[in-house]
Each structure stands twice: as structure tokens, then as C-alpha cells.
Amino acid sequence: MALSRQRDVGAGAVPQAGLATIGGPVVTAEPSAATGGAPAPDRAPVAAHRSEFLYFALRNWKFVAGLSVVLVFIAAAVLGPVVAAHAPLEFNGPTDQPPSSDYWFGTTSFGQDVFSQFVAGLRAAFLVGALGGGLAWLLGAVVGFTAGYRGGAVDDVLNMLTNVVLVIPTLAILIIVSAYMNVHSYTVEALLIGLTSWPWAARAVRAQTFTLKTRDFVDVARLSGRSRRQVITSEIAPNMSSYLLMMFILLFGGAILIGASLDFLGLGPATSVSLGLMMNSAFLSSALVLGSWWWFLPPGIGIIGIVGGLYVMNVGLDEVFNPRLREL
Amino acid sequence: MSLSVDNLAVYYRTLRGDVRALDGVTFEIDDGEIMGLAGESGCGKSTLGKSLIRLDGRMRHVGGTVTLDGRVLPLSDDRAMNAFRYKEVSIVPQYAMSALNPTRKVGKIAKELLESRGVDFEGVRPEFVRRLELVGLTLDVLGMFPIELSGGMKQRAVMVLSTLLDPSLLIADEVTSALDVSSQRAVAEMLVEFRERQFVKSLVFITHDLAILYQAADTILVMYAGRLAEKATSDAVISRPLHPYTRLLVSSLPEVGVRYENRRLSGIPGKPPSLLEPPAGCRFRDRCPLASAMCAKQPPFVEVEPGHRVACWAVT
Amino acid sequence: MLELDSVSKVYKVGTFGGRSLQAVRDVSFDLRTGEIVSLIGESGSGKSTIGRMILRLDHVTSGSITFDGADIAGLGHSATKAYYGAVQGVFQDPFSSYNPVFKADRVFAMIRSAYFPGVGSDEWRDKLYASLASVGLSPDEVLNRYPHQLSGGQLQRLLIARALLLDIRLLVADEIISMLDASTRIDVLNLLGELKERGLGILFITHDLSLGNYISDRTMILRRGRIVETGSTASVFGNPVHPYTRMLLASVPQTHHRWGELDEVLGVGNGAGGEAPETIADTRLVEVEHGHFVALGSDAEPPVP
């Protein structure tokens, strides 16, 4: 996954000091290294401002397309349960009905409304994604920053911890733990996911922190009386803001996917509805054989749509933050 | 060999328009001449050096010609230039030391380079080794990785590699800038020696350090903001500079023996103009103590004394 | 004011920190108010490491650094902050010294929030303008800009202005000139001279002998982590005793002599190559004339080219 590398001298004025960085990590400049550069012409830095970022972001079709898909699903998750005519688990309707005006997505073989199950499932998916992804993001950032900035023994210990958790087959552990724990809520599921998917994020953050730590502006911050924690949050993290954002998006999508997998295997909470659980029930009830496509297609499309949309958004953002990937 | 540059103009394409990095330069280099190309950052000296051998993706050859030994160099045609590169015109790029692939041994890098040019490595190997020893590197260097060599050693190795086929023209782009004082002297003296031994016929020595050019170069060409300011023998440029920019520059050089208490040196106030929309007329006008109304028109680069050319109305 | 006593710095390198690298060995010197001391050395001489240790950015392995009599090792957070109120540093790469996602004057805001929290905006602005004026910058030229919109010289001066806001007594200037253009170099150097006249002590770290000679009162030549010659600038440059110093002086390109002419005078062999022989453990110095000390040791041969 591409890390945004900035100090781009390609798209901007060339022998002088390069174009503004775009909130991403900075690589030392080449042209001004030998002698101090004559200043670039006075102008607002390209895309270093929020407004500039939005300008480029909204022009990137990948970002816009991905974002639109995700927004549609979010809207469905928020509004769906409100407009759904039936409760998701209520099973007093006709069984195995294809979509009709009464039951928009048809019914399951238990007589449940697929549409209301679907939108409830969307809510669960986003909950797991936000909690699980958010927790993983937080852990990855904290471990990565600390290991990268402190170095030495602290780094060795954290690195070992990261590697151990990285190497453990996550899904296998989750299956085992879920089976033992008898998971009762999505919160717990999200917690488990969050606790196991942070390592790659930590490694990436650590690597980038190593590079940024050696920059002189970190020394200047220390000379201004800043504590270690302040240096990380106020100097290093802002330089990685684009990367941290992308990391969150990926962790969010990943958590949804893992959650759906767990639910599909029947290891998620059985008392509420989720997309994976829907697919599980559909599969167990031989919906495939019976031809009840309206039962398993919506949750499948839902998962693919959300996760796929998030990933496409991420690719688009990569282009926004890294001008070299953009078509000029 | 002789190099003749006539009204060469090379611009950089950017989102905001063309940066006029090199805007009509004309000069000659004789056979066996070491010409120093001096100026501060942004003046176009690196652009000039690069244009003579390879225009990179952002550069555009806008006008003018370069003639080497009577043949016009096809600057814009990347493929046609390939016939000249390394054989007739060679370059030691800025940060050549970092140009060595860290995962390959030096000998392998050399072999790959030569074979890509259609030269049999085994055939030139004895000469290669001989030249390495000449610059003070032993045969072991071929078996080492770049990280095992010091900065000075890498620089010397790259210089030998770049001149192995005895090019007519060598462009040395800031080869001494990142080195220690003692290595600088060794490398600069080496350039002169290459010329003495006919490994290269002529040299363009690009640097911002006028003092090193005084030691190693025959003539100095001073550039400012994409145009030529002055060209003369190094003696003349240092002791009898005519262009106001050169005079201010020379007088701002601290020397061993000059102390703050005794003689206060001064720099040049202001900064070079933006090359995106450069001012009409002489580009040094805003900072020049001798500026007048005439300077609204670009002064021609003319010979005011034998072998001494200046572009300044106040002088001509 | 500042005193270093047998300071050494050893780094652990290699996998698992197996080998050790002695970057600084047994360096002692002092620096008084209102004087500029140059620390001259090539790469690997340890000069930047000394600067960083004085600025408490790296730890001292052995020996002590005292400021106004107090040892600076082991200072707590608030004591360190107080120390930085008296000692500041400016580094080599002006573009690396600023966080590129923020505007350049954020460095002033950082000082304000740490050291002048109660100061009102008007008073702060006056203070800031006065500081900018003393380094020769005009506020509308440099405030509210991003680092890439300013030149190297302006950025370095901004850093000096930042240090001056704190009423410091010692400035560590680590190669602050080397990345500037020739026309701005001398202006920044002159600024250092002016600051010295107003009572600031400056440790001027550089590899460029001409600059050191121009601006400093005393000079120390460092090689491979130890001092090989030290004394007043006039005596070290006028009467260089140690062969390494002589070799350096012979290699500096000057515009009044050619290289060969000085070689005989300085007793140097053929053009120097700069590769040093093994490091010498003996760090004792002998006084050759008043205030002028030279190191012993058999690295008296010119280095192998």
C-alpha cells in the first residue's frame, strides 16, 4: 500500500525549493541541498489547505465513486430501519416470497422481512467497522508512534509484540475465542477484531516515525520545551495525516469484512441481525438450491459494496495526497 | 573538440506555466578548456549542464542549438542523443555518490553500464583498473558495495567510470559540493589531471564555489537567473570582474585571512527574480547598484576585452 | 559560561549493538559570554555530536557539560525548559527545520506557548517585530508564509530570531551557512558578529575554514572526535602547528593563491586525499604558545590519498 511520499518537485517549480507538501510525510529536497534555494514564487501552497484538499478530492472520480457508494449504504443504515414496515426478526409473514410491494426484498424461509433484516444488518456492519476499525487504528497508532519515536529497548519490545500478533492467524484465533466466549454483542465482536488487526498499521506508522524523527523540526520542537508526547502529536502525526486517514479507512473496511466472516461462520451474536448472519441463515436454509436469490444477494452486495467502496475511496485518496500519481 | 552553444533556451513545464530556466545563452568552449560554470541556486547552471546531455521529462528545448565538433546535437530527440551520450558527451551528475545502486557491487555496476553501451567490459577492464589506480583506488573497489566506500572514493570511482570511453566533453555537476575540504581538492585536481592525460578533451565544471573554480578551471562563466553574466579567464573573473553581479559575488567571499573586525564583507541584498514570469530586460536590475533606465532592455553578451565577455550596459 | 570537561560520546552500532563507535573522545573546552568559538572539522569529526550534546539532544557517555556551573545532565522537564531559555540551536538545513505542513511562524507560536503564556497579543507582536528587526527581516515579508515560500537565508534568520526571543546567552550554530547561497552567507555571518557584540556567546560549528576564520575569536580543530589544535583564531590560522591543520589549510581553495603555492609553506605532501589512519587514543594537548594548544600523537603523517 503506497505511503504518501512528498516533497514533490515534479509537478511544481523546479530548480527552486519544491512545491508544498500535501500533509504527507516529507522526503528531503534535492535541488536546494547544495545551496539555499531561491524562493518559489509567492503563492498559496497547492493542496496544503483543507479547501485545496477538498478541491482535488472531489475531482478524483475514484474517491467520489467510492464515497458515494458508502454514503448510500450509510443512508440506508440510518433511514432503513425507520421506514421498514416490519421488525427484522418478526416471522409472521409468508415464507420464501420474492420481492413484492409489501416485502421489498422478499421474505426468508421463516417469513422474515429481508429488507428490514438487511438495513438492520447494515447498522451492525457499520458498528463493527467503526468500533473494531477504530480500536485497531488507535492501537496501531499508539504502538507505532511509541516504538518509532522512543527506539531502543522500548522499540524492541513493542516490535516483538507487534510481530507476534501479526503472525498469529487472526481468523483462527477469533473463531476459537468466539466459540469459547459465546459472543453476545457486536461490541464484543468489534473489540476482538480491533485487538487483532492493528499490527500492520503499527509497523507502517513506526517506519514512518523513524524517518520523521530525524528531521530537524523535531529537534526544534524539543528545543522549544515540548515533551515527547507533544512532539508526536503536534509534529509527527500532522505530517502523516493523510496516511493516518487512509489507514483508518482500510481498517474500517477490514473490520467489516472480518465481522461478516465471523457472522457467516455462525460465531457472531445470534440474537441480532447482521449481513453475515443473513448469509449464514440463507446458506443453511438452502436458499441457493431453492432459488431464493433475494435472501442472500442483498447482504452479499452490501458487504461487497461497502468494503469495495471504501477501498476504492482509499485509492482515490492516495492519488489526492500524492500528486505524482495524479494525471497532470 | 569544440563546443558551441548558440542562443540555447530550455524551459521547465509546470502546472503554472513555463519556468524559463535557461533563456538564450551563447558561448564557446575550446579544445582542452576547463570551463567553470558558476552561479547561485536557480541560475540555470545545472539546467545547462543537463541540457547538453539529456533533457529530463519536464524540460523542453525551446530554441537555440548546440554544436559539438561541427555536429549539431539533437537535444530534443532522446534516441538520437543516445549515440552521443557517454561516448562524446558524458556527465558526472550531482549526487553521483548516491547514483550508485547500493545493492550492487561497483564492478557489476560498471559492467552493466558498459555493456548497455555496447562496450565489451573485459576489453576495457585493464584500462579501467589502470585509471582507478591512477586516482588512488585499488582493484578491490570493484568487489565492494558502495556503502563500503567513503564519499570521496565513490566520487572518484564515478568519475573514472564516466570518462572511461574518453568523451570529448565531460560535464561535472557539483562534484565537489558534498565532499570534505581535503577530498574536494583531490577531486578538483583529478579533473585537471584527466584533461592533462586526455581522458577528456574539455570539461564543464558546474559549481557554486568560485574559489574552487579559480584553482581548477581555465575560464569561468557566471550565470544569473537563466542568462549569462560574464565569461573570462578565472584570473580575470576573480581579480578584475566587470559585471556588477560578479563583482558583488567575488567581494562577498570570505577568505582565510579576512576577519570580521578588520574588513566587513557584505552580501547582495534581495533575491533572484522568479523565472516563471521573469522581468523584461536585465534580470539583475532590481539588485544592481549600477542599474539605470537602459537596463529595461536586455544587454547583449559581448566581448569588451579579448577573451572577456560581459552582459551589462554599464560596462559596454 | 559553558564548560565541557573530558566529554566523550560512544554509539552502539551494528546488530544488537555489538560494536561501538567513538564519535567524540575526551573533549574539553570552555566558552565565555560575548565570544564566538569555531568548532572546525570534516565529516566524522564529531563536531555536530558535540553541538547536540550541548543542546541536550543526545546524552553524554562520559565527562560533564556544565552551564553556569551546573551540570546539564539529568535535568528534569522544567529544568530543561529553563535551560533552553538560555541556550538554543540553529541547524544546517533550513528547510528541514520547519514542519512543512505548518506555516513558518509557527516556530514563534511554539515559543510563545511554552515561555510566554501570559503575554498579551500586542506585547507579543512588538516583541516579535523587534526580534525580526534585529535579524534584518521585515514582518510582512516573512510572516504568514509557508516554509517553501521563503528562501534558505530567510528561514535561517527566522530561526535566529526565534532564539533571540528567549534572551539566550549561548547559541549553537551547526553548519548554518553551508546550505545558503554565497550572497546570503555573508549577511548571516555578519548577523552573528553583531549578536556577539551584543554579548551573545556563539558556538560556530563548520567545516569551512574561511568562515571560521572570518567570524570567530577562538578556533578548535577536530579530527575523528578529538581536538587536534585549539587557540585564538589568529594563532591557529597564522601559525598552524598540527599537520592536520596544515593539511586543511592547504586544501582550502583560496582566491589569492593557487593550491601548489601553499603546500611548501605548510609542509604538506601531495594533494591530500582525506582518508584518516586509525584513530589515536592519546588526547593530551601541549601548549605551543600562549593559549595555543596542539595534540600529540602519531597521526602526524598526512593522510593517505
Side-chain angles (χ1 to χ4, degrees):
Chain A
M1 190 177 57
L3 262 174
S4 302
R5 294 205 136 223
Q6 306 306 337
R7 189 55 93 177
D8 169 60
V9 188
V14 137
Q16 290 96 347
L19 208 53
T21 54
I22 308 188
V26 175
V27 174
T28 40
E30 324 86 42
S32 359
T35 45
D42 288 341
R43 56 173 191 234
V46 178
H49 263 141
R50 299 281 178 271
S51 52
E52 299 270 7
F53 155 67
L54 273 177
Y55 171 84
F56 275 110
L58 292 175
R59 269 177 158 54
N60 187 300
W61 72 265
K62 292 173 201 162
F63 176 75
V64 172
L67 184 63
S68 318
V69 169
V70 175
L71 283 177
V72 162
F73 281 110
I74 291 181
V78 170
L79 299 171
V82 176
V83 302
H86 312 268
L89 292 174
E90 181 187 288
F91 45 99
N92 46 13
T95 60
D96 282 321
Q97 292 293 309
S100 62
S101 53
D102 216 13
Y103 296 94
W104 297 339
F105 279 14
T107 60
T108 69
S109 54
F110 303 115
Q112 294 160 324
D113 180 11
V114 175
F115 176 75
S116 34
Q117 288 206 330
F118 177 65
V119 292
L122 282 182
R123 280 198 174 185
F126 282 118
L127 172 69
V128 169
L131 267 183
L135 178 62
W137 185 86
L138 201 63
L139 279 176
V142 167
V143 171
F145 279 132
T146 314
Y149 191 75
R150 295 289 296 270
V154 172
D155 176 37
D156 286 339
V157 167
L158 285 176
N159 214 21
M160 238 188 306
L161 174 67
T162 310
N163 287 335
V164 164
V165 179
L166 184 66
V167 160
I168 294 177
T170 324
L171 208 53
I173 292 289
L174 283 174
I175 290 173
I176 296 172
V177 172
S178 306
Y180 267 100
M181 274 190 62
N182 241 341
V183 175
H184 286 302
S185 70
Y186 287 110
T187 321
V188 176
E189 186 183 67
L191 211 71
L192 288 175
I193 293 172
L195 285 173
T196 50
S197 42
W198 57 267
W200 68 263
R203 296 198 84 178
V205 168
R206 171 180 172 267
Q208 200 53 23
T209 308
F210 267 147
T211 319
L212 288 174
K213 173 171 81 153
T214 57
R215 303 296 306 282
D216 288 336
F217 62 77
V218 169
D219 287 335
V220 170
R222 288 173 70 183
L223 286 176
S224 306
R226 299 236 157 164
S227 70
R228 208 160 21 220
R229 186 189 59 79
Q230 284 173 312
V231 169
I232 292 177
T233 51
S234 65
E235 302 292 332
I236 297 185
N239 256 298
M240 294 174 57
S241 54
S242 60
Y243 185 71
L244 291 173
L245 176 62
M246 295 200 298
M247 197 169 89
F248 178 73
I249 293 175
L250 285 177
L251 285 169
F252 187 80
I256 293 179
L257 205 54
I258 299 178
S261 315
L262 284 179
D263 296 338
F264 180 71
L265 292 172
L267 296 168
T271 48
S272 19
V273 186
S274 72
L275 299 177
L277 196 58
M278 278 178 76
M279 295 188 69
N280 184 18
S281 315
F283 180 65
L284 288 177
S285 308
S286 310
L288 215 68
V289 173
L290 291 174
S292 314
W293 53 267
W294 55 87
W295 194 358
F296 56 82
L297 220 48
I301 291 177
I303 295 172
I304 294 173
I306 298 175
V307 177
L310 285 171
Y311 283 2
V312 171
M313 234 174 94
N314 201 31
V315 170
L317 268 185
D318 204 13
E319 288 178 9
V320 168
F321 287 128
N322 189 347
R324 280 189 246 223
L325 294 177
R326 271 189 243 139
E327 301 88 13
L328 252 179
Chain B
M1 94 96 219
S2 62
L3 180 78
S4 160
V5 176
D6 186 28
N7 218 16
L8 183 63
V10 173
Y11 296 172
Y12 282 91
R13 265 189 301 232
T14 70
L15 281 175
R16 292 182 178 252
D18 282 338
V19 174
R20 298 161 72 147
L22 207 57
D23 220 350
V25 299
T26 305
F27 63 92
E28 291 89 34
I29 304 183
D30 295 325
D31 195 20
E33 178 179 335
I34 297 183
M35 183 186 85
L37 188 47
E40 299 175 301
S41 62
C43 69
K45 56 190 196 298
S46 267
T47 309
L48 177 54
K50 277 194 260 188
S51 322
L52 292 175
I53 186 163
R54 181 174 174 268
L55 297 174
D56 72 32
R58 305 157 296 181
M59 291 161 70
R60 249 184 349 122
H61 177 203
V62 171
T65 53
V66 176
T67 313
L68 179 66
D69 285 336
R71 285 181 299 170
V72 175
L73 290 182
L75 298 177
S76 325
D77 188 346
D78 200 47
R79 290 225 157 152
M81 269 304 281
N82 232 3
F84 291 91
R85 286 186 197 124
Y86 196 56
K87 298 186 180 121
E88 314 264 353
V89 185
S90 189
I91 185 169
V92 181
Q94 200 170 6
Y95 304 112
M97 317 190 268
S98 348
L100 291 172
N101 190 333
T103 60
R104 278 196 177 34
K105 296 192 180 169
V106 174
K108 185 134 191 278
I109 297 174
K111 183 161 184 271
E112 285 178 353
L113 174 60
L114 288 164
E115 275 166 15
S116 76
R117 293 274 147 195
V119 176
D120 172 38
F121 181 60
E122 291 305 318
V124 297
R125 204 187 136 102
E127 176 66 17
F128 185 36
V129 173
R130 188 174 80 88
R131 292 194 186 186
L132 282 176
E133 283 169 4
L134 193 69
V135 301
L137 297 170
T138 62
L139 181 54
D140 309 338
V141 162
L142 289 181
M144 292 202 229
F145 287 97
I147 198 167
E148 301 175 72
L149 304 172
S150 78
M153 289 166 84
K154 280 188 275 200
Q155 196 72 33
R156 279 176 276 158
V158 173
M159 279 168 58
V160 167
L161 197 48
S162 294
T163 53
L164 200 51
L165 297 186
D166 292 350
S168 296
L169 178 66
L170 178 68
I171 302 162
D173 191 353
E174 300 270 16
V175 295
T176 53
S177 309
L179 300 177
D180 283 330
V181 157
S182 39
S183 306
Q184 275 187 2
R185 179 175 172 179
V187 166
E189 288 186 336
M190 194 175 308
L191 286 176
V192 178
E193 178 143 5
F194 277 14
R195 193 265 311 263
E196 300 303 312
R197 290 178 181 259
Q198 304 264 328
F199 294 164
V200 301
K201 299 221 182 65
S202 314
L203 237 152
V204 175
F205 188 172
I206 304 176
T207 177
H208 60 277
D209 188 345
L210 274 178
I212 261 213
L213 291 180
Y214 176 72
Q215 303 288 338
D218 303 321
T219 55
I220 299 181
L221 177 59
V222 179
M223 283 187 72
Y224 183 78
R227 296 235 168 97
L228 302 181
E230 187 160 1
K231 181 176 194 252
T233 60
S234 22
D235 256 327
V237 169
I238 297 293
S239 34
R240 295 180 310 276
L242 294 175
H243 194 286
Y245 173 63
T246 320
R247 290 168 71 178
L248 285 172
L249 203 57
V250 170
S251 68
S252 78
L253 295 177
E255 280 263 319
V256 174
V258 174
R259 303 213 49 208
Y260 176 77
E261 292 87 34
N262 309 334
R263 178 155 79 94
R264 193 76 51 99
L265 300 174
S266 61
I268 312 177
K271 49 191 206 250
S274 152
L275 293 178
L276 207 50
E277 275 137 26
C282 178
R283 292 185 178 175
F284 189 57
R285 196 175 172 202
D286 292 331
R287 301 165 83 185
C288 184
L290 303 178
S292 67
M294 286 180 67
C295 303
K297 189 157 163 299
Q298 169 65 19
F301 190 57
V302 290
E303 196 160 14
V304 292
E305 293 168 357
H308 196 149
R309 293 159 103 192
V310 192
C312 179
W313 293 119
V315 175
T316 54
Chain C
M1 174 175 61
L2 176 79
E3 196 172 313
L4 270 76
D5 188 20
S6 292
V7 169
S8 298
K9 175 75 185 167
V10 178
Y11 284 109
K12 294 240 173 299
V13 291
T15 35
F16 302 116
R19 293 174 294 131
S20 59
L21 173 69
Q22 182 129 23
V24 178
R25 71 179 73 232
D26 234 2
V27 166
S28 307
F29 67 90
D30 66 328
L31 199 154
R32 285 154 251 155
T33 7
E35 76 168 339
I36 300 186
V37 173
S38 286
L39 209 53
I40 297 184
E42 299 185 305
S43 56
S45 59
K47 56 191 195 301
S48 282
T49 315
I50 293 177
R52 288 180 66 88
M53 287 195 287
I54 294 175
L55 288 173
R56 293 198 85 240
L57 294 172
D58 279 338
H59 295 302
V60 173
T61 312
S62 68
S64 69
I65 302 181
T66 50
F67 185 73
D68 279 349
D71 195 339
I72 66 170
L75 288 180
H77 183 66
S78 50
T80 307
K81 215 167 133 187
Y83 180 64
Y84 288 148
V87 177
Q88 278 290 330
V90 181
F91 305 104
Q92 180 176 22
D93 186 351
F95 292 98
S96 167
S97 302
Y98 291 85
N99 196 328
V101 299
F102 298 116
K103 295 206 174 137
D105 34 17
R106 180 169 171 269
V107 296
F108 297 125
M110 284 202 285
I111 296 286
R112 181 181 181 186
S113 60
Y115 290 93
F116 304 99
V119 169
S121 324
D122 284 339
E123 198 188 324
W124 176 253
R125 199 190 39 220
D126 290 338
K127 210 171 148 58
L128 187 56
Y129 283 23
S131 200
L132 288 175
S134 63
V135 298
L137 288 174
S138 79
D140 31 81
E141 235 183 40
V142 296
L143 291 181
N144 226 15
R145 304 266 164 122
Y146 281 89
H148 71 281
Q149 293 174 299
L150 300 171
S151 74
Q154 285 172 316
L155 290 174
Q156 292 292 49
R157 285 197 234 201
L158 271 179
L159 287 174
I160 298 176
R162 167 193 165 275
L164 292 178
L165 279 172
L166 287 168
D167 221 5
I168 51 170
R169 293 164 45 218
L170 171 65
L171 180 68
V172 177
D174 189 351
E175 297 265 25
I176 66 176
I177 310 283
S178 56
M179 288 200 164
L180 302 181
D181 272 327
S183 50
T184 36
R185 271 181 200 201
I186 210 74
D187 288 331
V188 176
L189 269 187
N190 286 339
L191 172 60
L192 290 183
E194 282 166 39
L195 292 175
K196 169 196 113 148
E197 279 165 6
R198 296 199 306 197
L200 186 60
I202 300 179
L203 183 66
F204 186 64
I205 302 175
T206 181
H207 65 275
D208 189 331
L209 287 95
S210 347
L211 298 176
N213 174 249
Y214 180 70
I215 198 67
S216 55
D217 301 307
R218 285 194 291 134
T219 299
M220 285 185 293
I221 311 277
L222 273 176
R223 185 187 194 209
R224 288 284 177 139
R226 68 176 191 129
I227 299 184
V228 295
E229 189 152 359
T230 175
S232 74
T233 307
S235 60
V236 170
F237 282 84
N239 180 23
V241 171
H242 197 279
Y244 180 69
T245 317
R246 291 172 165 231
M247 187 276 292
L248 282 183
L249 277 171
S251 307
V252 172
Q254 307 207 40
T255 53
H256 294 104
H257 330 270
R258 303 262 173 191
W259 272 322
E261 295 164 17
L262 283 185
D263 284 352
E264 267 194 51
V265 169
L266 291 169
V268 177
N270 58 335
E275 317 302 333
E278 321 82 49
T279 50
I280 309 298
D282 189 349
T283 56
R284 287 174 295 156
L285 300 173
V286 285
E287 191 162 6
V288 294
E289 54 180 348
H290 178 63
H292 184 172
F293 296 81
V294 180
L296 305 167
S298 59
D299 61 355
E301 289 90 29
V304 177

